[in-house]
Amino acid sequence: MSQPPGSDDPFVAMVSARADVDLKLSDFHPRSMLLAQEHEIRRPRFPVIDYHNHLDAQDPLEVLKIMDECGIERVVNITMHTGDAALAMLHKFHSVAHKRFATYGWMDWSDVASPGFFQRTVERLERLVERGACGVKIWKDLGTKVQDANGNLLRIDDERLDPLYERAAALNVPIMYHIADPDAFFHPIDATNERYEELAAHPEWSYYGSFYPKQELLAQRDRVIARHPKTTFVGAHVAEHPEDLAYVSGLLDRHANLHVDISARCAELGRQPYTAREFFLKYADRILFGTDLIPEITMYRLHYRFLETRDEYFEYPSHASRQGRWNIYGLFLPDEVLRKVYRENALRLLPRP
Ligand SMILES: [Zn+2]
């Protein structure tokens, strides 16, 4: 214990005392002593479509067991393969249960520097959709790493990609964007970073020092969404900005062609329950349930607890390294909102079987 110099008053000394400890952060696992209500929601109040997951490594039959146990009607597998491997992945799931799985393709940049690339992306989209894919995801390598034939960083709003978006509109399949990450990922990995442990576990997730700041990446994406009003876009992870739901609300107000998914962002939404609840009520038609986590029974049930109950201060669903040292609060969403977020909004974006 250390005291500011001159504070010999016992009360001043007490309120000024600070700890100086050498407990390792990774050994610190405090348990909440709060006695709060706990509701385990074993099955969702309405059938669920998990619109954002990655199942490539999973056995379809094992996933189906979990889905049945957790009231999941369908999972959208966003394959991380491209080319023939992507089609094989699609077949792996659709051949087992075509009504229970859907597949998103993954943007293939492997030959971005070769002549004809931008036309080929359109043909690849056509081929994927012909085989039953329900969308294509564009990931954060665009805007940070992908370089064109001249060695220039490809901008997200590069007009050479316009034919892809136009074709997606004609084929009636959405484009999903995951082109940035939480604000903390753009800051140094230091003692002030609220996701310090997560970034320490995944230093490659840091954008600190990236060519474009986060605002610029989002602005480029937003220009594409504005330029292609007939194309449906899905902004993964609450359009990358759950820390600022006022901004996301503005985006949804301006762009009727935009939906957002909540995957991997319960931590962000659940630490601002008043604002998040209003957001869900206002944009109930535009929000998609998604998880972006390995299918597990407890993982799904935590999502239901978050969306359905008014439980307070509990752990959010997360990958092993966690997202930040805080807990979340349930949103107790009304039935008509749950029905849309869990299933109906996704159903509108999926092709009719
Ligand atoms: Zn994902």
Side-chain angles (χ1 to χ4, degrees):
M1 301 288 186
S2 64
Q3 295 177 9
S7 68
D8 40 17
D9 176 85
F11 180 74
V12 172
M14 178 188 77
V15 297
S16 314
R18 287 167 180 272
D20 181 9
V21 297
D22 58 6
L23 174 65
K24 264 173 70 184
L25 187 54
S26 41
D27 290 338
F28 181 52
H29 307 291
R31 291 191 198 131
S32 170
M33 296 290 112
L34 180 72
L35 285 181
Q37 293 225 17
E38 276 182 48
H39 296 94
E40 190 198 18
I41 309 295
R42 300 176 66 82
R43 295 181 69 85
R45 211 169 310 159
F46 305 101
V48 160
I49 297 175
D50 180 353
Y51 195 79
H52 185 147
N53 215 326
H54 303 279
L55 303 179
D56 287 353
Q58 310 297 324
D59 174 350
L61 292 173
E62 292 302 315
V63 179
L64 277 171
K65 274 188 220 159
I66 293 163
M67 290 165 68
D68 289 343
E69 187 76 24
C70 299
I72 313 260
E73 177 178 304
R74 210 193 280 205
V75 178
V76 176
N77 176 33
I78 302 166
T79 179
M80 294 170 83
H81 291 288
T82 57
D84 288 341
L87 296 176
M89 200 49 76
L90 182 149
H91 180 74
K92 168 177 155 183
F93 286 92
H94 296 211
S95 63
V96 170
H98 74 278
K99 287 186 178 154
R100 307 294 301 281
F101 295 108
T103 303
Y104 252 68
W106 189 267
M107 186 70 178
D108 183 358
W109 300 108
S110 58
D111 54 346
V112 60
S114 311
F117 168 78
F118 294 97
Q119 176 55 31
R120 274 197 302 285
T121 61
V122 174
E123 290 158 14
R124 284 173 182 152
L125 172 73
E126 287 167 349
R127 184 159 172 248
L128 277 163
V129 172
E130 206 172 280
R131 299 291 194 90
C134 64
V136 164
K137 178 171 174 179
I138 295 182
W139 195 55
K140 57 191 180 179
D141 44 357
L142 178 61
T144 57
K145 287 198 181 77
V146 177
Q147 295 179 351
D148 68 10
N150 301 320
N152 296 320
L153 198 57
L154 198 63
R155 294 172 58 91
I156 296 166
D157 59 0
D158 191 305
E159 291 180 3
R160 288 172 291 180
L161 289 167
D162 283 350
L164 173 72
Y165 303 124
E166 290 303 306
R167 196 72 193 117
L171 294 168
N172 202 21
V173 290
I175 299 286
M176 181 185 284
Y177 271 131
H178 172 183
I179 48 79
D181 269 320
D183 289 5
F185 286 21
F186 290 77
H187 288 267
I189 307 175
D190 65 16
T192 65
N193 194 309
E194 68 173 349
R195 290 178 180 247
Y196 177 79
E197 289 166 294
E198 181 184 30
L199 287 165
H202 308 278
E204 73 282 5
W205 288 357
S206 174
Y207 287 75
Y208 184 57
S210 65
F211 186 78
Y212 293 121
K214 176 167 174 174
Q215 272 173 323
E216 170 60 18
L217 291 169
L218 297 187
Q220 290 182 19
R221 176 200 62 187
D222 299 348
R223 277 195 283 277
V224 178
I225 296 171
R227 212 154 68 203
H228 301 280
K230 291 190 179 135
T231 310
T232 300
F233 291 93
V234 176
H237 315 310
V238 199
E240 328 292 5
H241 219 340
E243 299 95 330
D244 186 354
L245 290 179
Y247 159 81
V248 182
S249 301
L251 262 190
L252 289 166
D253 289 341
R254 282 194 298 285
H255 307 299
N257 54 331
L258 176 66
H259 287 65
V260 298
D261 80 41
I262 62 166
S263 66
R265 293 298 178 268
C266 292
E268 291 296 340
L269 296 166
R271 67 170 168 167
Q272 47 176 330
Y274 310 136
T275 307
R277 187 168 193 277
E278 279 170 24
F279 178 78
F280 272 86
L281 297 190
K282 180 154 185 212
Y283 299 101
D285 293 313
R286 317 279 292 282
I287 301 172
L288 301 158
F289 179 91
T291 61
D292 203 9
L293 288 167
I294 291 171
E296 282 170 351
I297 290 171
T298 49
M299 179 280 278
Y300 279 118
R301 288 182 177 159
L302 257 184
H303 280 84
Y304 308 154
R305 187 180 180 198
F306 169 53
L307 296 171
E308 293 188 21
T309 77
R310 51 192 312 155
D311 285 1
E312 296 175 300
Y313 199 71
F314 55 95
E315 281 199 1
Y316 53 82
S318 169
H319 47 75
S321 55
R322 312 292 297 158
Q323 295 180 311
R325 285 205 175 225
W326 60 80
N327 280 338
I328 59 167
Y329 304 81
L331 299 184
F332 57 103
L333 296 176
D335 284 0
E336 66 272 20
V337 174
L338 281 175
R339 226 182 260 124
K340 291 173 176 178
V341 170
Y342 272 160
R343 177 169 181 271
E344 288 172 6
N345 297 338
L347 221 46
R348 278 204 310 276
L349 302 190
L350 289 168
R352 311 267 172 274

